[in-house]
Amino acid sequence: MDIKNKIKNAGISLNEMEADLQKSAPAFAAYTVAAFVLMFVTALAVFFFVNKGYEQVLVPDVTGKSLTRALLEMQEKELYPKLQLRYSDLPGQAGQVLSQNPRAGSIVKAGRRVTLVVSRGVMIDHIGNYVGTNLDALKNKLDALYGGVETPQITIANPVFKMDAASVGTILEQEPPEGTPITQPVELKLIVSSGPVEKRVSVENYVGKTVAEILETMGKTPLLFEFKSHTATGDETPGTVVSQSELENSQVKEYSKITLEFALPELSASFSGDTLVDADIKGRTEDEVAGVKIADLSKFTNGIFTASVSRYPLAVPVKLEAFPPDGASYTLASFNHIGGEITVPYAVPHGTTLALSVLNQEKERVTVQ
């Protein structure tokens, strides 16, 4: 009996629970919907709150300003700086912003990273001790440090040479002295050894040599060649040297001036202007080139290229390049010279442009006809 009563009572309880659930279902559904709406509104609010910093802002101009000032201006715009350090070209820029990316005035989202290139100062902030070192070695060192820099911190003035027991090119004195702070670009003044004695050069016999042979000799001999010319007469071979100012085997100082005179070929009535027969350059006589076609003879012009440049305290590299109207350019002559008036003989096709460079800087350009 007890078991039956319990089952009966349980059945009554289940029925009552089912009835209660049916009565509260609308309320439960309403509560569920309300909960979802509340969660959606909360999530939307959080989304807008979190993304509030992504509004668009104007990138400020901080180039040239101190790093501290630049950081403050970046912070005001809710921008994040990314720093890059490099050496400056000029003294006094340490800690300054040299450039920025994105550039000033750009519109970006807040929170964007802005790259700031900041100066870590100059590479050298004081004058070193250069006494006892080689002039060329110092030049190479400064070229490596300031290659491509618009305003180098240290430049070398034309050095003063004097005889000394030290080897040629050794720096004997300098101004400013070692330890001088570099607050602006400095010109280094040097006294350099020219060696204990002056070097001497033995003069060769240049008479009879052609233009091509003389151009080759210029690149090997430490002399200053001065060239003159006249139209070949008598038994003179056109296109060759017919006289020289110094006798063969004379002993002269390095880069002494020696004058060579060329006999240029006499022009026939078929030609106008200065022309040079290719065969003449090779040293052949008029009879040997008599059979050469007129079209071939008219292709070349000869003369003496002349240019005036600055004087240098020591011999520097000089180059004369030829740019013919047809074909690739080539180097006509390469030699060392102390500057002043430079003369170079040439034999090139008509319309060729000749360009003279000193220390790889073009000084004169002429088109020959």
Side-chain angles (χ1 to χ4, degrees):
M1 286 297 292
D2 292 337
I3 294 174
K4 290 181 178 181
N5 290 332
K6 288 180 179 179
I7 292 173
K8 182 178 180 181
N9 293 335
I12 294 171
S13 299
L14 289 174
N15 291 335
E16 290 176 354
M17 289 176 62
E18 183 178 358
D20 290 340
L21 285 173
Q22 290 177 351
K23 292 178 180 179
S24 61
F28 178 76
Y31 289 138
T32 302
V33 172
F36 276 112
V37 171
L38 181 61
M39 290 173 60
F40 176 77
V41 172
T42 302
L44 194 63
V46 170
F47 174 80
F48 283 111
F49 178 79
V50 170
N51 289 278
K52 180 181 179 181
Y54 289 96
E55 60 185 2
Q56 290 185 326
V57 295
L58 184 72
V59 177
D61 183 6
V62 296
T63 302
K65 297 181 180 180
S66 68
L67 177 58
T68 302
R69 182 61 190 170
L71 294 178
L72 289 174
E73 294 191 21
M74 290 289 110
Q75 184 177 346
E76 290 175 359
K77 296 293 185 178
E78 298 185 19
L79 298 172
Y80 296 92
K82 179 182 179 182
L83 303 182
Q84 294 180 356
L85 301 179
R86 75 166 176 82
Y87 289 107
S88 298
D89 297 341
L90 298 174
Q93 290 184 326
Q96 288 185 6
V97 177
L98 303 177
S99 64
Q100 64 181 83
N101 185 34
R103 59 185 178 80
S106 301
I107 304 297
V108 300
K109 290 183 179 181
R112 167 76 181 271
R113 286 191 178 277
V114 177
T115 301
L116 303 180
V117 179
V118 181
S119 169
R120 61 190 304 176
V122 293
M123 194 171 297
I124 300 177
D125 59 3
H126 65 277
I127 298 295
N129 180 21
Y130 309 118
V131 174
T133 61
N134 182 269
L135 175 62
D136 290 336
L138 177 59
K139 287 181 177 180
N140 292 335
K141 178 181 178 181
L142 296 180
D143 287 342
L145 284 174
Y146 302 119
V149 175
E150 184 176 351
T151 308
Q153 297 168 242
I154 302 176
T155 55
I156 299 178
N158 290 336
V160 176
F161 287 83
K162 75 173 186 178
M163 293 180 60
D164 189 87
S167 59
V168 177
T170 302
I171 298 172
L172 305 176
E173 299 178 37
Q174 69 177 67
E175 180 65 34
E178 177 187 8
T180 301
I182 300 177
T183 57
Q184 58 185 356
V186 173
E187 185 178 60
L188 196 60
K189 299 177 182 178
L190 305 173
I191 296 179
V192 181
S193 170
S194 61
V197 294
E198 293 180 324
K199 291 185 177 180
R200 313 290 289 188
V201 179
S202 179
V203 177
E204 299 179 17
N205 179 22
Y206 302 108
V207 175
K209 290 194 174 186
T210 64
V211 172
E213 290 172 332
I214 291 298
L215 292 177
E216 183 179 0
T217 300
M218 289 174 65
K220 299 177 180 179
T221 308
L223 290 173
L224 303 179
F225 291 94
E226 179 185 49
F227 297 98
K228 297 182 179 181
S229 65
H230 66 265
T231 302
T233 60
D235 58 353
E236 293 178 336
T237 302
T240 63
V241 176
V242 294
S243 68
Q244 62 186 66
S245 60
E246 298 291 338
L247 296 176
E248 182 181 2
N249 296 324
S250 298
Q251 298 293 315
V252 298
K253 298 177 183 178
E254 272 195 344
Y255 296 104
S256 295
K257 182 182 289 186
I258 178 170
T259 302
L260 305 183
E261 184 151 358
F262 271 95
L264 300 184
E266 184 176 2
L267 305 179
S268 69
S270 303
F271 310 111
S272 62
D274 279 343
T275 58
L276 176 65
V277 180
D278 180 62
D280 286 345
I281 300 176
K282 299 176 182 177
R284 289 187 282 180
T285 65
E286 293 180 5
D287 292 336
E288 290 175 318
V289 300
V292 180
K293 295 180 180 179
I294 296 297
D296 294 332
L297 299 183
S298 62
K299 291 181 180 179
F300 293 89
T301 184
N302 71 283
I304 307 297
F305 179 95
T306 304
S308 294
V309 300
S310 300
R311 294 194 65 86
Y312 300 91
L314 69 165
V316 296
V318 177
K319 180 170 59 176
L320 183 64
E321 294 179 283
F323 299 86
D326 298 315
S329 62
Y330 58 94
T331 298
L332 195 65
S334 180
F335 53 94
N336 291 330
H337 205 283
I338 63 171
E341 185 174 87
I342 298 177
T343 57
V344 185
Y346 62 82
V348 294
H350 296 309
T352 297
T353 297
L354 301 177
L356 183 81
S357 298
V358 180
L359 292 170
N360 292 322
Q361 294 184 348
E362 186 174 309
K363 299 296 184 180
E364 188 82 20
R365 179 177 284 255
V366 174
T367 299
V368 297
Q369 300 298 335

